[in-house]
Amino acid sequence: MVILELQGITKSFGGVKALSDVSFVVEKGQVTSIIGPNGAGKTTLFNIISNFYKPDSGKIIFEGKDITDAKVYECAKLGITRTFQNIRLFYNMTVLENVLVGLHVKAKSGFASFFDAIFRTKGFFDTEKALRERALEVIEFLGLEDYINTLAKNLPYGLQRKLEIARALAPSPKLLLLDEPTAGMNYKEVSEIMDIILKIKDMGITVLLIEHQMMLVMGISDKVVVLDHGVKIAEGKPEEIKNNEKVIDAYLGREEAETYA
Amino acid sequence: MLAKIKDEFSSLSKRDILILSALGIIALLPIIHYLAIGGTTSYYLDVSIKVCVYLLLALGLNLVIGYTGLLDLGFIGVFGIGAYTAAIMSIHGYHFLISSLVAIIMAMLFRLIIGLPVIRLRGDYLAIATLGFGEMVRIIVNNLDPLTNGPRGLPGVGQKISNIDFGILSLNSSLEVYIFSLIVVALGALASYRIEHSRIGRALVAIREDEIAASLMGVNVSKLKLFIFVISGIYGAVAGIIYTHHIKFITPNLILFWDSILLVSIVVIGGIGSIPGTIVGAILFYGVPELLRDFLGSQLAEFRMLTFGLIMLLMIIFRPQGLIPSERRKYELKPETEKVKEEEDENLFDLEKR
């Protein structure tokens, strides 16, 4: 079953064509990776899927609905959350608070929530309790339970990356976008992230991943999409991609391809 | 678990309890003085009421600057709207409750109308735009002669309604106005605290921290900004209502840019996003100079602004987190915990020895 379908996405910034006519589908429950050299348009594509940018042309179909014109803040409600290539945490909030903000869409909104907060109704405490339980569950899943009250900015780098995943994972999204979750991590941390992604997949959450670590990409992806200069040059199973001449020339290089062949 | 959650939200830290009891005692002092002299007016009581008025304004501004990070330099404008609406309605003989209600609604409408365009601006641009709207209120009030009597001001507030009576509390003496203000301030602080410690408060702080990340987490940033902008207007209006009914005479000089700056200083120096800090800031920056005026003579009090600059500078250098920083912000301006720092110092020391 297809959860996300991109139809002919084109996006230019001034004279630079960041993406031209990119189309592919993401199957529900799978891990799909986007790879390609720097500047290939991977992050731009993420920004378009999370509705942060509007494409010049093309459509984004999520669960059969056209979400091209959705607002940024509506994405989380639809079930799409993401992490960022450059970590964007709420640095002066604690780990717990960060995850609770991630759960923002999971509680009553508007005046009802304001009324509840001011008068501290039973509903308020019930909601807070439920949110906290869920937050703690996610925090434990990512192994951050010793840092619940630590300010995000005082966390070591690797844990900041994990906290970002926790925040995005908290509302149980249908589609999780991970933008280079292992950037700047060592070998041990990369394999940890790999385990985490596989577990997330087991939860039934579809993962779309941007990654440069070929070990990770080839190890866990069900499908790989390769971008180069804003153009999709290949897509398919990891084994097919490894042996694709175009991909080897544009991105993998001879040696790397042999290593993972 | 539910009981634990309730505890978490209702229990105050030791520091907060200490500050609150100290503030409670300070709040009682003017009443004791008033009763001791047995008079009908007390200068200290009047100053205390004005401190309460500024405190309410600062609490409102803290929602906008402290939690949400929007530098609002025209907050005094909403005070003017509240005060003038209450005054005009009262002069025309409307009851206190009705005029107050209309004043609050007018203030919220004003905030909504200026908020719609202003909220889309960021940083410096937002500061300049709000500054402009604040000045606009003063200029309009100054020139709208038939309604506001222009620069001559509006006398005779409350003459047509001889008695405001809530049963136990009527607002006819300074003492009663003071007690009324204290109740309002307490309610305002409580509401502010409850907003901070809720889903909305978290979202507001998230906006201050990183607008883009917040919106991608599903926070409707512009709607929430506008919402808190309007809610803060209630604080401004209530402050204006109390001021009007206490002084009974208002002029456009009430709405000076300088007062907006004073309010921002109270919030920033008290401790951004901290309710106890805001309260202490208002007492120090409004109450103490007024009292010193008595001791030092009015000439020296005019140097207030100069002293302000000096205090601001010293604060920025030595205590950037404010007098009483919010619990969350307390550690944020320190690079690491003291222990790590000590270890580092030791390591450096070892290196030097080698």
Side-chain angles (χ1 to χ4, degrees):
Chain A
M1 205 182 111
V2 174
I3 187 163
L4 178 77
E5 186 180 355
L6 301 177
Q7 298 177 345
I9 300 290
T10 302
K11 176 78 187 173
S12 311
F13 298 102
V16 183
K17 219 165 199 189
L19 290 169
S20 50
D21 200 24
V22 174
S23 305
F24 63 90
V25 297
V26 176
E27 294 284 334
K28 196 179 170 103
Q30 289 194 347
V31 176
T32 305
S33 297
I34 303 172
I35 61 170
N38 287 327
K42 304 182 296 291
T43 298
T44 305
L45 195 65
F46 261 31
N47 284 339
I48 284 176
I49 297 171
S50 51
N51 273 297
F52 193 59
Y53 296 150
K54 295 289 165 224
D56 299 337
S57 65
K59 272 184 186 171
I60 311 157
I61 313 288
F62 180 69
E63 290 194 307
K65 265 187 300 182
D66 185 349
I67 60 158
T68 322
D69 293 321
K71 297 276 192 310
V72 185
Y73 61 82
E74 286 167 347
C75 274
K77 193 113 200 167
L78 288 167
I80 304 174
T81 57
R82 67 171 287 182
T83 65
F84 298 86
Q85 189 176 349
N86 306 311
I87 304 175
R88 300 192 80 130
L89 289 167
F90 308 121
Y91 286 104
N92 293 315
M93 296 174 93
T94 64
V95 166
L96 180 66
E97 284 174 321
N98 266 277
V99 179
L100 285 173
V101 174
L103 284 164
H104 187 78
V105 291
K106 288 287 158 186
K108 258 196 278 184
S109 62
F111 276 103
S113 99
F114 181 67
F115 182 87
D116 277 358
I118 290 287
F119 294 102
R120 289 289 193 253
T121 57
K122 189 175 173 298
F124 172 83
F125 290 111
D126 288 344
T127 314
E128 283 296 328
K129 185 185 160 212
L131 291 185
R132 246 146 249 258
E133 276 169 356
R134 172 64 188 155
L136 291 177
E137 207 177 292
V138 178
I139 286 170
E140 261 170 46
F141 173 70
L142 282 144
L144 292 164
E145 61 270 19
D146 293 338
Y147 300 91
I148 290 172
N149 287 319
T150 310
L151 290 184
K153 68 175 192 189
N154 291 338
L155 285 179
Y157 179 81
L159 294 183
Q160 289 189 351
R161 285 255 174 231
K162 283 187 181 169
L163 177 55
E164 244 204 336
I165 298 177
R167 188 178 65 179
L169 190 64
S172 319
K174 291 167 187 157
L175 176 65
L176 178 62
L177 312 177
L178 298 175
D179 196 343
E180 291 195 32
T182 67
M185 286 189 166
N186 62 30
Y187 181 81
K188 186 174 153 270
E189 290 169 323
V190 171
S191 57
E192 257 179 53
I193 294 286
M194 199 160 146
D195 283 346
I196 289 169
I197 296 175
L198 284 175
K199 278 186 197 153
I200 292 173
K201 184 188 166 186
D202 285 343
M203 292 172 190
I205 294 170
T206 312
V207 178
L208 188 58
L209 178 72
I210 292 178
E211 206 24 273
H212 284 297
Q213 289 278 351
M214 281 309 119
M215 176 188 88
L216 184 76
V217 172
M218 297 305 172
I220 63 172
S221 306
D222 297 293
K223 177 180 175 179
V224 180
V225 176
V226 190
L227 292 181
D228 185 30
H229 291 99
V231 182
K232 186 184 84 178
I233 56 169
E235 81 172 275
K237 294 207 162 57
E239 308 84 64
E240 295 164 19
I241 295 299
K242 268 183 272 189
N243 302 315
N244 186 314
E245 287 296 321
K246 265 181 167 174
V247 180
I248 292 171
D249 285 339
Y251 180 55
L252 291 179
R254 295 283 158 202
E255 233 172 83
E256 182 121 24
E258 277 156 26
T259 316
Y260 295 103
Chain B
M1 179 81 181
L2 193 63
K4 220 175 106 192
I5 295 264
K6 276 192 182 168
D7 270 2
E8 190 189 318
F9 279 104
S10 50
S11 70
L12 292 165
S13 69
K14 244 185 190 167
R15 188 197 73 171
D16 286 345
I17 292 170
L18 207 70
I19 293 169
L20 278 180
S21 358
L23 288 174
I25 293 167
I26 292 172
L28 283 178
L29 289 180
I31 299 180
I32 294 168
H33 177 257
Y34 177 85
L35 294 176
I37 60 170
T40 47
T41 55
S42 154
Y43 175 64
Y44 295 113
L45 210 52
D46 287 346
V47 170
S48 307
I49 293 168
K50 280 192 193 166
V51 170
C52 285
V53 166
Y54 271 82
L55 225 167
L56 270 174
L57 283 169
L59 282 173
L61 193 59
N62 186 41
L63 292 175
V64 178
I65 295 186
Y67 299 161
T68 326
L70 305 170
L71 185 54
D72 184 346
L73 289 184
F75 195 65
I76 203 74
V78 75
F79 176 64
I81 299 264
Y84 264 90
T85 312
I88 293 166
M89 297 268 305
S90 161
I91 286 165
H92 285 84
Y94 288 94
H95 188 266
F96 174 75
L97 285 180
I98 296 169
S99 69
S100 301
L101 195 67
V102 175
I104 290 171
I105 292 170
M106 283 293 284
M108 287 171 84
L109 270 178
F110 169 72
R111 292 292 272 185
L112 183 71
I113 291 164
I114 69 162
L116 279 169
V118 157
I119 242 47
R120 281 157 220 290
L121 304 171
R122 279 177 202 186
D124 309 348
Y125 300 101
L126 182 124
I128 291 166
T130 49
L131 190 159
F133 279 114
E135 281 294 277
M136 229 169 71
V137 173
R138 185 177 59 82
I139 292 164
I140 289 175
V141 162
N142 224 340
N143 292 291
L144 202 65
D145 243 32
L147 201 60
T148 63
N149 205 20
R152 292 179 300 280
L154 273 179
V157 177
Q159 273 176 359
K160 284 210 178 160
I161 23 161
S162 51
N163 225 338
I164 300 162
D165 209 333
F166 295 120
I168 34 171
L169 200 66
S170 59
L171 298 182
N172 292 327
S173 70
S174 292
L175 183 65
E176 281 167 322
V177 175
Y178 179 56
I179 291 170
F180 179 73
S181 322
L182 280 183
I183 296 170
V184 173
V185 165
L187 288 177
L190 183 68
S192 180
Y193 176 84
R194 288 185 166 184
I195 292 173
E196 184 190 355
H197 295 271
S198 75
R199 174 177 172 275
I200 292 177
R202 282 194 299 266
L204 291 174
V205 178
I207 290 173
R208 185 186 78 197
E209 289 293 308
D210 190 329
E211 234 173 77
I212 289 171
S215 67
L216 285 164
M217 292 303 127
V219 177
N220 188 341
V221 173
S222 23
K223 195 175 131 197
L224 205 55
K225 275 184 180 174
L226 190 61
F227 177 74
I228 206 65
F229 211 67
V230 172
I231 292 294
S232 70
I234 300 178
Y235 285 81
V238 173
I241 292 162
I242 293 177
Y243 184 89
T244 300
H245 282 278
H246 174 55
I247 305 292
K248 300 191 187 330
F249 171 70
I250 54 172
T251 71
N253 275 342
L254 204 66
I255 321 167
L256 295 180
F257 173 59
W258 159 246
D259 289 304
S260 282
I261 296 298
L262 178 73
L263 286 173
V264 175
S265 320
I266 289 174
V267 173
V268 172
I269 291 184
I272 285 187
S274 147
I275 297 169
T278 305
I279 297 174
V280 172
I283 294 172
L284 284 186
F285 277 86
Y286 198 82
V288 172
E290 284 294 324
L291 295 180
L292 287 186
R293 198 200 290 265
D294 219 23
F295 292 116
L296 303 174
S298 62
Q299 260 186 338
L300 215 61
E302 290 303 313
F303 284 106
R304 220 156 45 140
M305 297 190 194
L306 212 64
T307 334
F308 255 43
L310 187 67
I311 295 176
M312 267 299 209
L313 271 178
L314 290 176
M315 287 292 293
I316 290 164
I317 296 167
F318 294 109
R319 207 171 159 80
Q321 69 271 45
L323 287 174
I324 305 177
S326 73
E327 295 280 356
R328 183 189 297 116
R329 284 180 67 90
K330 194 155 64 177
Y331 295 106
E332 88 190 34
L333 290 149
K334 287 186 193 164
E336 7 356 57
T337 57
E338 290 301 321
K339 203 180 157 207
V340 176
K341 210 173 156 217
E342 271 168 32
E343 271 171 27
E344 263 184 10
D345 287 347
E346 271 173 33
N347 288 343
L348 279 175
F349 185 64
D350 286 346
L351 274 178
E352 276 167 20
K353 269 199 299 197
R354 259 178 248 156

